[in-house]
Amino acid sequence: MVAAAVLAGCERGLSNGPEASPSGPSGCPEAHARAEAAVDSAERTDIPWNGPTTGPRAVSRKTIVYVAQTMTNPGVAGAADGVQEAARVIGWRVRVIDGGGTPAGTQAAMSQAVALKPSGIVIGGFDAGATSQQAARAHAAHIPLIGWHAVASPGPSRRPELFTNVTTEVGDVAAVSAQWVIARSNGRAGVVLFTDASIPFARKKSDLIRKELATCRGVRLLAYENIPIPDASTRTPQEISSLLSRFSRRWTYSVAINDLYFADAAPAFRAAGREGSGLPYNIGAGDGDPSAFERIDNRQYQAATVPEPLSLQGWQIVDEFNRAFSGRPASGYVAPIHVTTADNSHGATTWDPSGYQEGYRRIWGR
């Protein structure tokens, strides 16, 4: 399937070098115009709070267990930090259990979480279906489950059963990351796509990225690299070296489903003599951790990210639990997408929209 995907990408056209891209004709005028408009909108930083304004007052004396796929994943860890911060405001206790990045580890962590009999459990960054037995025990004990990137779509889920799943719209994230490539390259690029196909959310995101790239005939998918996130630190440098050898300067852009791939790629690019601000230009389609912002600001092997508002999402998780405990439905809120570059980061190390803390405090009466 991967080989077929690469061949399908190769049939879309040839990738020109960056010298021809800025001034030459676009490789896909209509798709390029749509991409530029979408990216311009997503790069805005003056977005007002558009989340919930009403909801139940704070419920007292609750305990939440956050089960993390792995705390080495900056997105998982960032959302956990947001949950802990919001819990301090609302007056709850939080315990984090690290699944260690393996199916056996997350199953054991979920079993431990259920045994603690908490008020609620967060499924932090792993496939909720992979712990179905533990989830069934939680439901039998009337413990609500809330996911963070646990399924592919935001909102309540029936299979697996989640009160809600907190994430941006994966289709929007995927589309704008591919559109950034189309817009910046003037519709002419040779692209490598990095994913973790073992995670349904990540696999869906990379499939959607590939689909959006295919709207531009001047974009060529050179390779589709499946590297599990727990293996990224060891496998990515080797794969980067191999890709540089295979494609050399035909490789002009990269998209990864998570920024951490570029942290692991940087030493290999550096060893090959590539400049941090040069080819290939790399964009992460999540999660926007501090190290990604630093690489972008310093122009060190990453040019952009589509960050999750991790702290905001942690606060949203706490608010959603408060609704569950109060017998109310999920809020239905989905954070808008954003693209961060060196031109709009303003020295920040996270994407932290304004207004959400004040908004949730007003709802909770805190």
Side-chain angles (χ1 to χ4, degrees):
M1 292 178 63
V2 171
V6 173
L7 287 172
C10 292
E11 291 171 358
R12 287 199 292 272
L14 297 176
S15 170
N16 288 348
E19 297 82 6
S21 299
S23 57
S26 172
C28 50
E30 293 183 2
H32 180 250
R34 290 193 302 269
E36 283 196 317
V39 171
D40 287 346
S41 177
E43 288 181 345
R44 290 180 53 196
T45 58
D46 56 341
I47 306 298
W49 169 240
N50 66 339
T53 57
T54 61
R57 306 285 279 184
V59 177
S60 301
R61 302 175 66 180
K62 296 297 181 181
T63 300
I64 304 301
V65 175
Y66 185 104
V67 179
Q69 185 254 352
T70 171
M71 289 295 280
T72 62
N73 182 327
V76 173
D81 289 343
V83 169
Q84 292 173 314
E85 181 182 45
R88 286 192 291 270
V89 172
I90 205 171
W92 298 349
R93 297 177 59 191
V94 176
R95 177 169 177 176
V96 177
I97 303 177
D98 193 337
T102 66
T106 53
Q107 290 169 7
M110 275 292 289
S111 293
Q112 183 182 352
V114 175
L116 291 171
K117 298 180 180 179
S119 308
I121 297 173
V122 182
I123 296 177
F126 60 92
D127 178 10
T131 56
S132 57
Q133 293 182 356
Q134 292 82 359
R137 292 200 293 271
H139 292 310
H142 304 290
I143 301 171
L145 303 178
I146 289 181
W148 180 84
H149 289 207
V151 294
S153 301
S157 171
R158 296 193 63 179
R159 294 185 180 180
E161 187 177 345
L162 302 174
F163 178 76
T164 195
N165 182 56
V166 175
T167 177
T168 49
E169 284 283 3
V170 63
D172 293 341
V173 172
V176 81
S177 61
Q179 288 165 337
W180 181 87
V181 171
I182 294 169
R184 172 160 180 166
S185 70
N186 202 24
R188 296 186 180 276
V191 183
V192 173
L193 176 57
F194 296 91
T195 192
D196 181 348
S198 70
I199 303 173
F201 179 89
R203 183 173 63 248
K204 180 178 180 180
K205 185 189 293 187
S206 56
D207 287 345
L208 291 170
I209 290 168
R210 187 164 52 189
K211 182 178 179 180
E212 186 66 30
L213 290 172
T215 66
C216 180
R217 64 181 179 273
V219 171
R220 178 180 180 182
L221 183 63
L222 300 175
Y224 180 93
E225 295 294 316
N226 176 25
I227 303 175
I229 286 175
D231 301 336
S233 61
T234 55
R235 285 188 51 187
T236 302
Q238 300 171 1
E239 295 297 335
I240 294 296
S241 297
S242 174
L243 290 163
L244 287 170
S245 177
R246 288 166 60 194
F247 302 117
S248 187
R249 297 188 72 81
R250 287 186 294 149
W251 177 13
T252 56
Y253 286 82
S254 310
V255 187
I257 55 94
N258 192 297
D259 293 305
L260 63 82
Y261 288 101
F262 300 128
D264 298 320
F269 284 129
R270 194 173 291 113
R274 293 297 179 95
E275 295 183 2
S277 59
L279 300 176
Y281 303 114
N282 302 318
I283 181 170
D287 289 318
D289 65 277
S291 68
F293 276 71
E294 291 172 5
R295 286 191 297 275
I296 290 166
D297 284 341
N298 296 324
R299 292 174 169 80
Q300 288 297 302
Y301 308 104
Q302 186 167 351
T305 183
V306 186
E308 296 286 313
L310 299 172
S311 178
L312 182 159
Q313 290 176 335
W315 281 64
Q316 182 185 350
I317 287 169
V318 169
D319 181 67
E320 302 290 4
F321 272 125
N322 195 55
R323 293 169 190 269
F325 300 149
S326 303
R328 302 280 288 275
S331 71
Y333 175 64
V334 180
I337 58 166
H338 176 67
V339 174
T340 293
T341 67
D343 293 331
N344 69 358
S345 68
H346 307 302
T349 56
T350 59
W351 169 231
D352 197 28
S354 62
Y356 67 91
Q357 295 187 13
E358 296 82 358
Y360 283 127
R361 281 177 177 270
R362 282 193 292 271
I363 293 172
W364 302 337
R366 299 295 191 186

PDB file of all heavy atoms in Angstrom, residues 63 90 94 100 146 148 150 182 226 247 251-252 365:
ATOM      1  N   THR A  63     -11.414  13.745  41.239  1.00  0.00           N
ATOM      2  CA  THR A  63     -10.066  13.265  40.936  1.00  0.00           C
ATOM      3  C   THR A  63     -10.038  12.735  39.509  1.00  0.00           C
ATOM      4  O   THR A  63     -10.888  11.914  39.134  1.00  0.00           O
ATOM      5  CB  THR A  63      -9.637  12.143  41.903  1.00  0.00           C
ATOM      6  OG1 THR A  63      -9.649  12.644  43.238  1.00  0.00           O
ATOM      7  CG2 THR A  63      -8.238  11.653  41.559  1.00  0.00           C
ATOM      8  N   ILE A  90     -10.022  24.786  39.272  1.00  0.00           N
ATOM      9  CA  ILE A  90     -11.362  24.305  39.607  1.00  0.00           C
ATOM     10  C   ILE A  90     -11.401  23.580  40.946  1.00  0.00           C
ATOM     11  O   ILE A  90     -12.468  23.358  41.513  1.00  0.00           O
ATOM     12  CB  ILE A  90     -11.906  23.411  38.467  1.00  0.00           C
ATOM     13  CG1 ILE A  90     -13.444  23.393  38.473  1.00  0.00           C
ATOM     14  CG2 ILE A  90     -11.338  22.012  38.537  1.00  0.00           C
ATOM     15  CD1 ILE A  90     -14.061  22.725  37.255  1.00  0.00           C
ATOM     16  N   VAL A  94      -5.301  15.668  40.134  1.00  0.00           N
ATOM     17  CA  VAL A  94      -4.953  14.981  38.882  1.00  0.00           C
ATOM     18  C   VAL A  94      -3.764  14.068  39.123  1.00  0.00           C
ATOM     19  O   VAL A  94      -2.790  14.454  39.782  1.00  0.00           O
ATOM     20  CB  VAL A  94      -4.598  15.980  37.752  1.00  0.00           C
ATOM     21  CG1 VAL A  94      -4.149  15.233  36.488  1.00  0.00           C
ATOM     22  CG2 VAL A  94      -5.777  16.879  37.427  1.00  0.00           C
ATOM     23  N   GLY A 100       4.150   4.681  28.463  1.00  0.00           N
ATOM     24  CA  GLY A 100       5.445   4.283  27.925  1.00  0.00           C
ATOM     25  C   GLY A 100       5.507   4.084  26.430  1.00  0.00           C
ATOM     26  O   GLY A 100       6.519   3.630  25.898  1.00  0.00           O
ATOM     27  N   ILE A 146     -12.764  10.695  28.655  1.00  0.00           N
ATOM     28  CA  ILE A 146     -12.593  11.784  27.691  1.00  0.00           C
ATOM     29  C   ILE A 146     -11.263  11.569  26.982  1.00  0.00           C
ATOM     30  O   ILE A 146     -10.242  11.292  27.620  1.00  0.00           O
ATOM     31  CB  ILE A 146     -12.643  13.160  28.376  1.00  0.00           C
ATOM     32  CG1 ILE A 146     -14.068  13.454  28.839  1.00  0.00           C
ATOM     33  CG2 ILE A 146     -12.151  14.260  27.429  1.00  0.00           C
ATOM     34  CD1 ILE A 146     -14.249  14.794  29.519  1.00  0.00           C
ATOM     35  N   TRP A 148      -8.089  12.716  24.406  1.00  0.00           N
ATOM     36  CA  TRP A 148      -7.310  13.761  23.739  1.00  0.00           C
ATOM     37  C   TRP A 148      -6.607  13.063  22.583  1.00  0.00           C
ATOM     38  O   TRP A 148      -5.743  12.206  22.796  1.00  0.00           O
ATOM     39  CB  TRP A 148      -6.282  14.418  24.670  1.00  0.00           C
ATOM     40  CG  TRP A 148      -5.500  15.498  23.963  1.00  0.00           C
ATOM     41  CD1 TRP A 148      -5.855  16.794  23.780  1.00  0.00           C
ATOM     42  CD2 TRP A 148      -4.211  15.351  23.299  1.00  0.00           C
ATOM     43  NE1 TRP A 148      -4.906  17.466  23.053  1.00  0.00           N
ATOM     44  CE2 TRP A 148      -3.890  16.611  22.739  1.00  0.00           C
ATOM     45  CE3 TRP A 148      -3.332  14.288  23.115  1.00  0.00           C
ATOM     46  CZ2 TRP A 148      -2.702  16.824  22.026  1.00  0.00           C
ATOM     47  CZ3 TRP A 148      -2.167  14.489  22.395  1.00  0.00           C
ATOM     48  CH2 TRP A 148      -1.862  15.760  21.875  1.00  0.00           C
ATOM     49  N   ALA A 150      -7.786  10.723  20.899  1.00  0.00           N
ATOM     50  CA  ALA A 150      -8.008   9.297  21.087  1.00  0.00           C
ATOM     51  C   ALA A 150      -8.731   8.666  19.908  1.00  0.00           C
ATOM     52  O   ALA A 150      -8.633   7.456  19.694  1.00  0.00           O
ATOM     53  CB  ALA A 150      -8.802   9.064  22.372  1.00  0.00           C
ATOM     54  N   ILE A 182       1.927  24.005  -0.777  1.00  0.00           N
ATOM     55  CA  ILE A 182       1.512  24.457  -2.107  1.00  0.00           C
ATOM     56  C   ILE A 182       1.701  25.959  -2.253  1.00  0.00           C
ATOM     57  O   ILE A 182       2.208  26.450  -3.264  1.00  0.00           O
ATOM     58  CB  ILE A 182       0.042  24.062  -2.362  1.00  0.00           C
ATOM     59  CG1 ILE A 182      -0.092  22.538  -2.422  1.00  0.00           C
ATOM     60  CG2 ILE A 182      -0.476  24.692  -3.653  1.00  0.00           C
ATOM     61  CD1 ILE A 182      -1.538  22.049  -2.399  1.00  0.00           C
ATOM     62  N   ASN A 226       6.734   5.741   7.236  1.00  0.00           N
ATOM     63  CA  ASN A 226       5.991   5.298   8.418  1.00  0.00           C
ATOM     64  C   ASN A 226       6.978   4.985   9.534  1.00  0.00           C
ATOM     65  O   ASN A 226       7.645   3.949   9.520  1.00  0.00           O
ATOM     66  CB  ASN A 226       5.149   4.071   8.074  1.00  0.00           C
ATOM     67  CG  ASN A 226       4.429   3.507   9.286  1.00  0.00           C
ATOM     68  OD1 ASN A 226       4.156   4.223  10.255  1.00  0.00           O
ATOM     69  ND2 ASN A 226       4.135   2.220   9.253  1.00  0.00           N
ATOM     70  N   PHE A 247      17.148  11.364  -2.925  1.00  0.00           N
ATOM     71  CA  PHE A 247      16.473  12.457  -3.615  1.00  0.00           C
ATOM     72  C   PHE A 247      17.276  13.743  -3.726  1.00  0.00           C
ATOM     73  O   PHE A 247      16.937  14.609  -4.526  1.00  0.00           O
ATOM     74  CB  PHE A 247      15.133  12.761  -2.925  1.00  0.00           C
ATOM     75  CG  PHE A 247      14.209  11.582  -2.879  1.00  0.00           C
ATOM     76  CD1 PHE A 247      13.810  11.036  -1.672  1.00  0.00           C
ATOM     77  CD2 PHE A 247      13.744  11.006  -4.050  1.00  0.00           C
ATOM     78  CE1 PHE A 247      12.958   9.953  -1.627  1.00  0.00           C
ATOM     79  CE2 PHE A 247      12.885   9.911  -4.015  1.00  0.00           C
ATOM     80  CZ  PHE A 247      12.493   9.376  -2.805  1.00  0.00           C
ATOM     81  N   TRP A 251      14.234  16.885  -3.077  1.00  0.00           N
ATOM     82  CA  TRP A 251      13.446  16.922  -1.851  1.00  0.00           C
ATOM     83  C   TRP A 251      13.443  18.365  -1.339  1.00  0.00           C
ATOM     84  O   TRP A 251      14.402  18.841  -0.775  1.00  0.00           O
ATOM     85  CB  TRP A 251      14.067  15.971  -0.837  1.00  0.00           C
ATOM     86  CG  TRP A 251      13.418  15.948   0.513  1.00  0.00           C
ATOM     87  CD1 TRP A 251      12.217  16.489   0.866  1.00  0.00           C
ATOM     88  CD2 TRP A 251      13.947  15.340   1.685  1.00  0.00           C
ATOM     89  NE1 TRP A 251      11.961  16.256   2.194  1.00  0.00           N
ATOM     90  CE2 TRP A 251      12.995  15.555   2.725  1.00  0.00           C
ATOM     91  CE3 TRP A 251      15.112  14.638   1.965  1.00  0.00           C
ATOM     92  CZ2 TRP A 251      13.208  15.090   4.024  1.00  0.00           C
ATOM     93  CZ3 TRP A 251      15.320  14.168   3.259  1.00  0.00           C
ATOM     94  CH2 TRP A 251      14.368  14.399   4.266  1.00  0.00           C
ATOM     95  N   THR A 252      12.321  19.071  -1.541  1.00  0.00           N
ATOM     96  CA  THR A 252      12.266  20.488  -1.201  1.00  0.00           C
ATOM     97  C   THR A 252      11.371  20.809  -0.007  1.00  0.00           C
ATOM     98  O   THR A 252      11.519  21.858   0.615  1.00  0.00           O
ATOM     99  CB  THR A 252      11.778  21.304  -2.420  1.00  0.00           C
ATOM    100  OG1 THR A 252      10.507  20.802  -2.856  1.00  0.00           O
ATOM    101  CG2 THR A 252      12.788  21.221  -3.564  1.00  0.00           C
ATOM    102  N   GLY A 365     -17.261  29.718  37.876  1.00  0.00           N
ATOM    103  CA  GLY A 365     -17.381  30.555  39.072  1.00  0.00           C
ATOM    104  C   GLY A 365     -16.115  30.561  39.894  1.00  0.00           C
ATOM    105  O   GLY A 365     -16.137  30.697  41.115  1.00  0.00           O
TER     106      GLY A 365
END
